[in-house]
Amino acid sequence: MHYIRPVWLTHSGEKKDFEVYSCHVSPDGSRLVTAAGDGYVRVWSTEAVFKAADPSYNGPKQLASMSYHSGTIHTVRFSGNGRYLASGADDKIVCVYTLDPHPPSHNATFGTDEPPPVETWKIHRRLIGHDNDVQDVGWSFDSSILVSVGLDSKVVVWSGYTFEKLKTISSHQSLVKGITFDPANKYFATASDDRTVKLWRFTPPGPNSTAYDQISNFVLEKNITAPFISSPLTTYFRRCSWSPDGNHIAAANAVNGPVSSVAIINRGSWDGDIHLIGHEGPVEVCAFSPRLFSKLRPSDQPPDQRGQANSSLVTVIACAGQDKSLTVWITSNPRPLVITQDLALKSLSDLAWTPDGTNLFVTSLDGSIICVSFGVGELGYEVSQEETEKALEKYGAGRRGAGIIEGTDGLLLEEKSREDELRGAEGRMGALMGDAPSSQIATLNGNGTPAPQPAMTPNGAMPSGDARNVGLNGDAPATGASGPASTPQVPEDPNKDKLEKLKSRVTITKDGKKRIAPLLLSSSGGHESSLPRAQLMSASRNAQGVKGDAPQTILDLSKPFDGLPKGGLASLLLGNKRKLAKVDGVDDGQVEKRITSTSRDGAVPILANSTEGLVPARAGTDVTGQQQTPDFIRPAVINPSLVVSQVRLAVPKLRRHIVQTYAGSSGIPVPGADVEGSDGPHESSKRQMQHDIMIEARNPSQLPVTGKASDQEPCRITVSRKGQPLWQDFLPRSTLLLTGNKMFWAAACEDGSVHAWTPAGRRLVNAMVLESQPVILECKDKWLLCVTAVGMCYVWDMKTLHSPHPPVSLAPVLDIAVHSLQDHVTAGPAVTSAHLNSEGRIVVSLSNGDGFAYSPSMYVWQRLTELWWAVGSQYWNTTDSSIGDLKSSPGRENATTVSAGIVPALERGTTSETMVRGKAFLLQRLVKQLLSREGYEGFESSVSVAHLENRMAAAMMLGSKDEFQVYVFMYAKRLGAEGLKSKVEELLRGLLGGLNGEDDEEETTMGTLTSRNAEDRSWDNTSDLLCGWSRKELLKGVILILGKNRDLQRITVPYANVLGVTAEPETGGDAMVT
């Protein structure tokens, strides 16, 4: 063993050598990289170091130097494949470099005394994700991920392919100072000043994986605290290391009683009973040699029974720290093999072995870089790499977690699934790097994709090859009259000049030198992350550069004619919840003892259902004769139904003059117009009528006509166009509400009657008399909705003059089940909106943030949205980025975004209501506490999957075709990321439905469906449609999404073969989202 310390191997300054904080050796062993306080990353030739004492050596020494950081560089690491080099500094940035194969274009940097570069390392990415100093970085052994840790207590995981931020982990409670990876590629460990080493289990992501795929990845496996309970907090680093056979983790800055030590943590049990004791000060860095060693020469080892060499393999570990000493240990010896004291003047900061395990580089804060070279046999005899790989096989090394391909069909399916995903990744990175004009980029979960590609996907990927020219609804794109559509002219990017100025912005460094400040381009620096967020933001806040999330109109909801009061329509309730009858001196488990005691000889007692529960009835005096009405209720005029109703809603104020303008999607036919014809002289005039026609109601004044209080003048209803009356009618009672569309007009009166007219003024139906005053009157197409003061909802089909279901009460949605029965009414949640959709479904939203819809086929209210999803699901956010800018029919000029659907509208309402009342922050705090508790590790994942299932069910019940397709594809992608095989199989079986021709008995059952529910609104229907979509196309899209998941291919390949996905060529077809 000998030490090599070349004079030139340093980060020299004008007055002193800068502190060297990190070093690493490339996988091929030809380069040594160091990082120091001068802000430079320097690459050295290891051959020059080994031959430093040879005067005849005239090769290059320093190969390159990079200064892309604006501060002290704390860590530097080569990737396992040798392609990338990563560095982290106190400027909160992680820089990733690549080697340019072309020779350097200049001899030296102007204004410096740096030697001419031999190699050119260019900046590849600048990763922005930390809020404080980056203290350490680490690559997985297959280079699929890069993990950075820092003084902001965060662990940030980056893709090793696209360098997108995959996940940010904030589980540590203090500064994180070390990271190491399992050579079997199953775990990584992080060490922190919170005196823990946390172990994280992960599955290596694929080249095109997004944050969606990694939501359930990187899970906390173990929290190790025992060896670090009283460890000092004075160390600059806590650099741990994993043994090459995967059996042990060496954790720095541990303690064994009062003595500083290195804890050896055993794999599997994750206990730290073994300690390496000998250092006088805290140990800051440990490094296992990457090779296994044998005590005997391979030729001298006796063969085992199978004829193979039988060797007892040992590992070698080096430790260094604040006591300025270096120790080298082998597992076969309880004492250190080498002890070197005062190797430097200050603390030792980092250790790096060469790939052959015979040379060790040591860096120190005094600026020295030392190489310790071991001779043959001093550490043992290194065994072949095959032996190391064989030792890792028992932990699953070499087997990717994606599973094993079981046939050629699986390969073909995976290839088809990845083709479009690769295009999506390229488009996403192109958008992030500014390759596409901003006006041509549609944002979906933060993933930009060029707008000319018609159908967007929830994961930002592009449609499959056979679906590139078709919209999401299956509509072909519009073409010109003369033939195919011409290539659209790409508008000039308005931010181009600004971007160029930013690229060439000159700054002055602390040394007084001019530098061109690089433009920070990172996937994490964008406004929106591709990770679904469970974060609530005010609905009134629009991020800079992002258009408002709320569309101008909701596609399939009735437009309100009368606005409800601020805060919604107030409600009063007499609850259904009963209290138990409490008995003094009796335990809670025997509260009915008093009732039992009233039974004599098997007689049934007479009980009174009071606000205190069931209590024995009391005998009272008989009341005879006429009773006088109390004075306090004499002046009140109360509808009798309100006296006995459990729900009471506020009644609108009686207005003297009510005017409503019809502004629907098409004009209202007028008397004498050709209603049926679409051509002719009236066609252009119809399009102008939508703002010209209005209905007004003039209620009588308070003064009687004849002097008698009962002689009031009638209410006058007038419909006019541009001030010219079209027709007029009179009603005997005052009007409260008006509504109408191109099919009918309607008015609701104070006596509880509803009147309807045709567009020409003919009475459509007799006056419909209700039990109390109407408070909400809405219409949508042929449907009319009326909500009364006692919470009853009536829906009528004014075309066929029938109702899809009996009147339904609002009591269940007003939480009447959780309100206790009391002597007086209590306030319930207010009704903020009540609408109809095109199928006559009632959609109601409340002031507590909940949204409901009534299912006429099941005769029950269904809750579509609530605060629980807002704080627990990762797919909830105010910009609704999961479907934010997805076009329902991208090929059409009048394409509308799916975010204009009913479910996103209700979710935006939930966000607004909960932000106003502050309830969301209380629930978010509860959820954060749950996530750190044992047994709730899969909480976010489970709630997110349930939220997508809730969205799918809501879209199917409402008949929202566009929303349903998007939610199905989002759900399929999430199931693939989670690996939920049972749910995947159930989804595919449900989508296949009647395509396989089974269950003939169910056909007769489905044939009995009435108009209350369409035939394609259940997963088990026997038709070829599901919520308006072809089952075949939905199934094909889901299979293409799941095709890349090898562990699911045993389930997906049979379905792919049935549909011919793996066999058919890529030709034009219906739009499929992958």
Side-chain angles (χ1 to χ4, degrees):
M1 181 187 76
H2 61 280
Y3 299 92
I4 305 174
R5 185 174 181 176
V7 178
W8 48 264
L9 188 59
T10 183
H11 287 248
S12 59
E14 295 180 358
K15 297 182 180 180
K16 65 168 186 175
D17 291 342
F18 287 95
E19 299 91 344
V20 182
Y21 290 96
S22 185
C23 65
H24 201 237
V25 180
S26 63
D28 60 1
S30 63
R31 299 178 182 89
L32 167 70
V33 61
T34 57
D38 58 353
Y40 278 87
V41 173
R42 302 184 187 273
V43 182
W44 313 87
S45 170
T46 55
E47 183 183 5
V49 176
F50 299 148
K51 296 182 179 180
D54 187 358
S56 62
Y57 178 77
N58 57 1
K61 299 175 181 177
Q62 180 173 305
L63 303 179
S65 64
M66 297 86 76
S67 178
Y68 291 98
H69 287 284
S70 60
T72 300
I73 305 175
H74 295 149
T75 177
V76 62
R77 295 290 184 264
F78 280 104
S79 63
N81 54 17
R83 182 179 178 184
Y84 299 111
L85 172 64
S87 62
D90 61 6
D91 59 359
K92 312 172 189 176
I93 306 295
V94 176
C95 290
V96 180
Y97 315 88
T98 55
L99 179 61
D100 190 347
H102 302 93
S105 58
H106 56 281
N107 292 328
T109 304
F110 180 76
T112 66
D113 56 355
E114 291 290 327
V118 179
E119 298 176 342
T120 303
W121 287 82
K122 290 187 174 181
I123 189 76
H124 181 66
R125 291 285 187 274
R126 290 170 66 91
L127 309 180
I128 308 167
H130 285 276
D131 301 326
N132 209 328
D133 299 7
V134 179
Q135 204 71 358
D136 204 2
V137 298
W139 295 87
S140 63
F141 274 73
D142 62 351
S143 303
S144 61
I145 60 172
L146 168 68
V147 176
S148 58
V149 299
L151 302 186
D152 56 358
S153 306
K154 291 181 180 178
V155 178
V156 183
V157 184
W158 312 87
S159 168
Y161 306 99
T162 62
F163 294 100
E164 280 190 88
K165 185 196 294 183
L166 297 181
K167 196 165 188 177
T168 299
I169 305 171
S170 302
S171 294
H172 280 289
Q173 305 301 316
S174 187
L175 320 178
V176 189
K177 296 182 175 179
I179 168 75
T180 185
F181 272 87
D182 171 23
N185 231 36
K186 302 296 180 184
Y187 303 95
F188 66 85
T190 55
S192 168
D193 271 357
D194 60 4
R195 295 188 170 99
T196 65
V197 169
K198 295 185 184 294
L199 204 69
W200 309 91
R201 184 178 69 253
F202 75 99
T203 300
N208 306 303
S209 295
T210 63
Y212 269 124
D213 305 313
Q214 308 308 314
I215 290 172
S216 61
N217 208 351
F218 314 110
V219 179
L220 181 63
E221 177 76 10
K222 185 71 175 179
N223 190 31
I224 305 168
T225 59
F228 316 102
I229 293 177
S230 58
S231 64
L233 305 179
T234 58
T235 58
Y236 205 79
F237 300 105
R238 288 176 179 258
R239 286 174 168 154
C240 40
S241 180
W242 211 303
S243 64
D245 59 357
N247 285 329
H248 306 98
I249 304 173
N253 199 11
V255 290
N256 188 358
V259 182
S260 297
S261 69
V262 175
I264 304 299
I265 300 170
N266 298 312
R267 189 189 187 109
S269 61
W270 309 117
D271 53 10
D273 297 335
I274 303 175
H275 289 263
L276 305 182
I277 300 174
H279 284 269
E280 297 177 357
V283 178
E284 295 200 18
V285 55
C286 306
F288 272 103
S289 172
R291 301 297 293 270
L292 294 175
F293 292 86
S294 173
K295 296 180 182 180
L296 303 175
R297 294 179 184 271
S299 57
D300 298 337
Q301 295 174 4
D304 59 8
Q305 296 179 356
R306 293 175 294 178
Q308 298 178 350
N310 186 11
S311 60
S312 56
L313 303 180
V314 297
T315 56
V316 178
I317 180 175
C319 307
Q322 292 184 356
D323 60 355
K324 298 169 285 187
S325 62
L326 170 71
T327 58
V328 180
W329 308 68
I330 59 174
T331 53
S332 61
N333 196 335
R335 296 182 179 274
L337 184 66
V338 175
I339 301 177
T340 304
Q341 295 181 338
D342 297 326
L343 187 62
L345 300 178
K346 293 184 179 180
S347 299
L348 304 184
S349 56
D350 205 359
L351 302 172
W353 290 90
T354 54
D356 59 3
T358 58
N359 297 281
L360 174 66
F361 286 92
V362 185
T363 61
S364 172
L365 298 184
D366 66 354
S368 59
I369 305 172
I370 305 166
C371 176
V372 182
S373 182
F374 296 91
V376 177
E378 289 184 340
L379 299 177
Y381 299 94
E382 57 186 273
V383 299
S384 63
Q385 193 65 32
E386 288 75 12
E387 289 290 333
T388 304
E389 294 175 357
K390 187 183 299 183
L392 291 173
E393 282 181 357
K394 59 183 177 181
Y395 302 126
R399 303 186 224 130
R400 281 191 63 86
I404 302 173
I405 289 289
E406 298 187 3
T408 57
D409 290 337
L411 279 172
L412 291 172
L413 178 59
E414 182 177 355
E415 182 180 354
K416 270 190 167 292
S417 178
R418 291 192 180 279
E419 282 177 0
D420 301 315
E421 192 176 10
L422 181 59
R423 283 194 291 270
E426 292 172 353
R428 185 165 60 253
M429 291 310 301
L432 293 171
M433 298 302 295
D435 296 338
S438 60
S439 59
Q440 294 294 314
I441 297 175
T443 302
L444 188 62
N445 277 342
N447 302 333
T449 328
Q453 302 293 338
M456 291 285 294
T457 70
N459 62 344
M462 299 304 301
S464 59
D466 60 346
R468 214 158 296 155
N469 297 320
V470 182
L472 196 62
N473 282 334
D475 302 325
T479 58
S482 60
S486 59
T487 304
Q489 296 292 331
V490 179
E492 185 178 353
D493 185 7
N495 298 322
K496 183 177 180 181
D497 295 337
K498 183 178 179 181
L499 190 62
E500 290 298 329
K501 289 181 181 179
L502 288 173
K503 288 182 179 179
S504 58
R505 182 162 52 96
V506 178
T507 59
I508 307 298
T509 65
K510 57 185 178 182
D511 300 334
K513 301 172 184 177
K514 291 185 178 181
R515 292 287 185 270
I516 296 179
L519 178 63
L520 304 184
L521 297 171
S522 171
S523 61
S524 63
H527 163 66
E528 287 185 308
S529 169
S530 60
L531 180 66
R533 295 166 293 169
Q535 180 178 357
L536 289 175
M537 298 186 302
S538 173
S540 61
R541 284 181 54 191
N542 285 333
Q544 183 178 3
V546 179
K547 64 182 182 180
D549 59 301
Q552 296 297 322
T553 58
I554 305 302
L555 290 178
D556 196 24
L557 281 184
S558 57
K559 182 179 178 182
F561 273 65
D562 284 293
L564 295 179
K566 185 177 180 180
L569 205 62
S571 66
L572 296 175
L573 304 174
L574 288 172
N576 285 333
K577 188 177 181 181
R578 298 292 190 267
K579 295 180 180 179
L580 294 174
K582 296 182 179 179
V583 181
D584 295 337
V586 180
D587 295 338
D588 291 341
Q590 300 175 346
V591 293
E592 301 299 329
K593 183 177 292 185
R594 178 172 55 177
I595 299 174
T596 306
S597 64
T598 59
S599 301
R600 297 281 195 294
D601 301 327
V604 178
I606 301 176
L607 304 176
N609 188 3
S610 69
T611 57
E612 296 297 327
L614 295 174
V615 296
R618 296 180 180 179
T621 58
D622 295 336
V623 179
T624 59
Q626 184 177 359
Q627 299 298 311
Q628 185 177 2
T629 304
D631 292 336
F632 67 88
I633 67 169
R634 276 185 179 276
V637 179
I638 302 177
N639 190 306
S641 62
L642 290 177
V643 180
V644 297
S645 172
Q646 288 185 264
V647 178
R648 308 179 188 183
L649 299 179
V651 180
K653 181 181 178 181
L654 184 62
R655 293 165 287 177
R656 288 284 306 277
H657 190 201
I658 308 173
V659 180
Q660 299 292 350
T661 301
Y662 173 68
S665 59
S666 61
I668 301 176
V670 297
D674 185 6
V675 179
E676 300 296 332
S678 58
D679 299 322
H682 298 284
E683 183 63 27
S684 59
S685 63
K686 286 182 181 179
R687 290 192 294 266
Q688 300 176 357
M689 293 178 187
Q690 53 185 351
H691 297 291
D692 298 338
I693 299 180
M694 67 178 185
I695 183 172
E696 59 180 328
R698 292 187 177 272
N699 288 318
S701 61
Q702 297 295 329
L703 298 177
V705 178
T706 63
K708 294 183 179 180
S710 59
D711 294 339
Q712 295 284 347
E713 65 184 43
C715 172
R716 188 165 72 245
I717 305 293
T718 305
V719 174
S720 60
R721 185 181 66 184
K722 293 184 178 180
Q724 298 297 321
L726 297 180
W727 58 267
Q728 192 177 66
D729 201 351
F730 297 91
L731 298 176
R733 301 290 185 270
S734 297
T735 299
L736 293 177
L737 302 169
L738 293 173
T739 189
N741 57 26
K742 64 181 179 180
M743 302 186 71
F744 62 89
W745 293 104
C749 299
E750 63 173 347
D751 65 343
S753 60
V754 177
H755 303 263
W757 299 268
T758 64
R762 175 174 58 88
R763 289 280 183 135
L764 192 59
V765 68
N766 300 106
M768 297 176 286
V769 183
L770 309 180
E771 74 284 346
S772 61
Q773 293 93 340
V775 296
I776 296 176
L777 194 66
E778 295 281 338
C779 66
K780 174 69 175 177
D781 298 338
K782 63 179 181 177
W783 302 99
L784 177 63
L785 165 68
C786 182
V787 181
T788 66
V790 295
M792 297 300 293
C793 300
Y794 295 82
V795 177
W796 301 289
D797 184 342
M798 303 307 292
K799 188 174 182 180
T800 61
L801 300 182
H802 85 282
S803 178
H805 54 79
V808 56
S809 175
L810 283 176
V813 305
L814 295 176
D815 292 339
I816 198 168
V818 299
H819 282 75
S820 299
L821 177 65
Q822 300 180 9
D823 294 329
H824 303 284
V825 292
T826 57
V831 180
T832 55
S833 69
H835 300 282
L836 284 171
N837 75 342
S838 58
E839 295 189 350
R841 305 286 196 273
I842 309 173
V843 181
V844 176
S845 62
L846 305 180
S847 59
N848 59 8
D850 291 356
F852 298 86
Y854 186 74
S855 173
S857 60
M858 301 182 69
Y859 297 111
V860 71
W861 287 99
Q862 296 184 5
R863 184 184 286 111
L864 306 188
T865 176
E866 58 180 320
L867 181 58
W868 174 251
W869 306 125
V871 298
S873 171
Q874 295 165 325
Y875 290 91
W876 187 287
N877 48 62
T878 55
T879 56
D880 203 30
S881 60
S882 56
I883 56 172
D885 289 326
L886 188 60
K887 300 293 183 181
S888 59
S889 298
R892 299 201 306 257
E893 294 182 0
N894 60 345
T896 52
T897 58
V898 178
S899 62
I902 299 176
V903 176
L906 291 176
E907 292 185 352
R908 284 192 295 271
T910 301
T911 299
S912 301
E913 294 294 340
T914 53
M915 289 297 294
V916 169
R917 287 160 176 78
K919 294 168 59 178
F921 298 106
L922 299 177
L923 263 179
Q924 279 183 328
R925 187 166 56 188
L926 170 64
V927 169
K928 286 182 179 179
Q929 293 292 330
L930 287 177
L931 291 177
S932 60
R933 293 177 57 184
E934 185 177 356
Y936 289 88
E937 294 82 2
F939 174 80
E940 271 190 313
S941 175
S942 299
V943 175
S944 299
V945 171
H947 182 212
L948 290 178
E949 294 168 348
N950 186 78
R951 280 178 165 181
M952 282 195 307
M956 179 179 288
M957 191 270 287
L958 293 170
S960 301
K961 178 180 177 183
D962 300 324
E963 295 176 67
F964 180 73
Q965 188 206 40
V966 176
Y967 296 148
V968 167
F969 291 155
M970 292 171 65
Y971 182 62
K973 186 166 183 63
R974 183 58 185 257
L975 293 185
E978 298 279 356
L980 302 176
K981 294 183 180 180
S982 59
K983 287 195 174 184
V984 167
E985 189 171 6
E986 186 179 58
L987 175 63
L988 296 178
R989 192 166 55 244
L991 289 174
L992 187 64
L995 293 180
N996 55 5
E998 295 178 359
D999 300 334
D1000 294 335
E1001 296 180 359
E1002 293 186 5
E1003 273 190 43
T1004 56
T1005 306
M1006 296 301 298
T1008 62
L1009 285 174
T1010 66
S1011 60
R1012 292 192 301 269
N1013 203 17
E1015 193 180 59
D1016 61 348
R1017 297 299 169 75
S1018 68
W1019 292 94
D1020 295 329
N1021 74 79
T1022 56
S1023 69
D1024 294 339
L1025 298 177
L1026 186 62
C1027 198
W1029 290 98
S1030 168
R1031 283 182 176 271
K1032 181 177 180 181
E1033 299 306 326
L1034 283 177
L1035 183 59
K1036 181 179 177 183
V1038 169
I1039 287 176
L1040 287 175
I1041 290 174
L1042 298 172
K1044 67 178 183 294
N1045 298 283
R1046 291 187 177 180
D1047 53 344
L1048 299 175
Q1049 285 183 353
R1050 184 173 293 184
I1051 301 172
T1052 56
V1053 167
Y1055 289 90
N1057 291 336
V1058 170
L1059 297 178
V1061 173
T1062 57
E1064 65 179 15
E1066 289 194 2
T1067 57
D1070 291 339
M1072 294 316 307
V1073 181
T1074 59

